[in-house]
Amino acid sequence: MTLDGKVAIVTGASRGIGRQIAIQLAKSGARVAVNYASSREQADEVVKTIEQFGGEAAAIQADVSKVNEVERLFSETLTRFGRIDILVNNAGIMENYAIADVTEDVFDRHFAINVKGTYFACQQAMKHMSPGGTILNFSTSVSGAMLPTYSVYAATKGAVEQLTRQLAKEFGPKDIVINCIAPGQVATELFLGGKSPELIDSFRKMNAFGRLGEPEDIANVVELLVSDKARWITGQTIRVNGGFI
Ligand SMILES: NC(=O)c1ccc[n+]([C@@H]2O[C@H](COP(=O)([O-])OP(=O)(O)OC[C@H]3O[C@@H](n4cnc5c(N)ncnc54)[C@H](OP(=O)(O)O)[C@@H]3O)[C@@H](O)[C@H]2O)c1
């Protein structure tokens, strides 16, 4: 599965799942825009890692919750690489609160990054992505699990799943596919942060294999979905969770 000649934007690629996606797409031959919000050193390390195996990448700062910064992410990618074939809307945040403790700020930040960021990046893809392109959005398997304290986060991801379905028939005539990946628990800062070892262990036992997912488990499926063999899949949400739900 070669991505030679293709250009990918991976949002939130400085750490966690996005970092691994950027590295694997580059190993397959894509040139990669490594987006980050504030972790500049980590984004530079991802670029360095890619360059060390002969790949090409550039770190591009942009807060995806701001439409003008999303526009700049696309214009800088075009200036640097000349085209855009793959957009992975991976950037996201997750904070857990019982409904009684959710503030307006918590609600607005989650929707601004997880939903607005994804939506306006799709709008930029409609303007700038080459025919034959692929968009992959990020949901979560938690949206099917009805767990307490996840209401705001899961609501944002429900919106992402729905906008993925809605946009499939707008992107189809441009020969662009758009799908959504819904990981289960993956061992990154987003999942591990603030959880006790006991709670992490209980999540580990919820899937078929008794382990947490690793970023590679998700990046491997991203590689499948951006390949030319997957172009009859569009408008779908694909759970990648080791049988969690
Ligand atoms: N880990 C899991 O268990 C899990 C499960 C299901 C779904 N997911 C989804 O998978 C995606 C990646 O999660 P992860 O676990 O890899 O998270 P992570 O380790 O916390 O990394 C998050 C990434 O998003 C970036 N980011 C955050 N806010 C941003 C913004 N406003 N603009 C641009 N980039 C921003 C961060 O950049 P900076 O470092 O610069 O802040 C970082 O690179 C998310 O959409 C998440 O909801 C994760």
Side-chain angles (χ1 to χ4, degrees), residues 91-149:
I93 58 165
M94 180 188 81
E95 294 170 18
N96 295 95
Y97 301 97
I99 185 169
D101 300 321
V102 172
T103 61
E104 186 176 357
D105 171 66
V106 166
F107 190 95
D108 287 348
R109 269 191 299 112
H110 278 75
F111 274 82
I113 295 171
N114 296 359
V115 184
K116 188 176 160 194
T118 297
Y119 192 89
F120 284 97
C122 289
Q123 186 187 63
Q124 285 298 298
M126 181 58 87
K127 289 181 184 167
H128 300 297
M129 186 171 271
S130 300
T134 303
I135 300 170
L136 275 181
N137 295 329
F138 264 72
S139 180
T140 171
S141 290
V142 156
S143 59
M146 296 189 287
L147 298 176
T149 77

Side-chain angles (χ1 to χ4, degrees), residues 215-229:
E216 291 90 329
D217 293 314
I218 310 305
N220 288 341
V221 179
V222 169
E223 277 196 76
L224 293 176
L225 290 173
V226 301
S227 84
D228 287 344
K229 299 284 186 191

Side-chain angles (χ1 to χ4, degrees), residues 70-85:
V70 173
E71 289 169 357
R72 183 173 50 71
L73 169 62
F74 277 72
S75 63
E76 284 186 22
T77 303
L78 283 171
T79 302
R80 171 74 193 251
F81 297 122
R83 56 185 292 131
I84 296 163
D85 305 279

Side-chain angles (χ1 to χ4, degrees), residues 1-224:
M1 284 181 297
T2 175
L3 299 176
D4 285 347
K6 299 202 172 181
V7 173
I9 295 176
V10 183
T11 68
S14 52
R15 323 183 251 123
I17 297 169
R19 175 186 187 278
Q20 188 64 27
I21 292 169
I23 290 170
Q24 291 192 208
L25 294 185
K27 275 195 178 146
S28 293
R31 292 173 290 159
V32 183
V34 174
N35 163 250
Y36 67 100
S38 56
S39 301
R40 182 177 173 170
E41 277 182 23
Q42 293 180 69
D44 286 342
E45 183 274 328
V46 176
V47 171
K48 210 168 146 194
T49 301
I50 289 171
E51 288 172 346
Q52 275 166 355
F53 58 73
E56 203 179 326
I60 301 180
Q61 191 282 333
D63 178 344
V64 298
S65 70
K66 301 196 168 99
V67 177
N68 63 331
E69 298 197 21
V70 173
E71 289 169 357
R72 183 173 50 71
L73 169 62
F74 277 72
S75 63
E76 284 186 22
T77 303
L78 283 171
T79 302
R80 171 74 193 251
F81 297 122
R83 56 185 292 131
I84 296 163
D85 305 279
I86 296 165
L87 167 64
V88 184
N89 276 316
N90 162 84
I93 58 165
M94 180 188 81
E95 294 170 18
N96 295 95
Y97 301 97
I99 185 169
D101 300 321
V102 172
T103 61
E104 186 176 357
D105 171 66
V106 166
F107 190 95
D108 287 348
R109 269 191 299 112
H110 278 75
F111 274 82
I113 295 171
N114 296 359
V115 184
K116 188 176 160 194
T118 297
Y119 192 89
F120 284 97
C122 289
Q123 186 187 63
Q124 285 298 298
M126 181 58 87
K127 289 181 184 167
H128 300 297
M129 186 171 271
S130 300
T134 303
I135 300 170
L136 275 181
N137 295 329
F138 264 72
S139 180
T140 171
S141 290
V142 156
S143 59
M146 296 189 287
L147 298 176
T149 77
Y150 282 86
S151 61
V152 174
Y153 176 68
T156 66
K157 297 302 193 177
V160 169
E161 291 187 18
Q162 189 60 25
L163 75 86
T164 302
R165 280 190 282 275
Q166 295 298 136
L167 290 176
K169 287 184 181 164
E170 292 194 41
F171 277 106
K174 296 197 68 149
D175 192 19
I176 291 170
V177 299
I178 175 167
N179 291 297
C180 192
I181 286 205
Q185 293 78 17
V186 180
T188 67
E189 284 174 53
L190 177 138
F191 169 72
L192 297 170
K195 291 190 175 70
S196 67
E198 294 75 28
L199 186 57
I200 292 168
D201 206 43
S202 72
F203 275 114
R204 185 178 287 121
K205 291 175 183 150
M206 284 182 194
N207 63 56
F209 302 102
R211 69 169 175 88
L212 295 179
E214 294 296 332
E216 291 90 329
D217 293 314
I218 310 305
N220 288 341
V221 179
V222 169
E223 277 196 76
L224 293 176

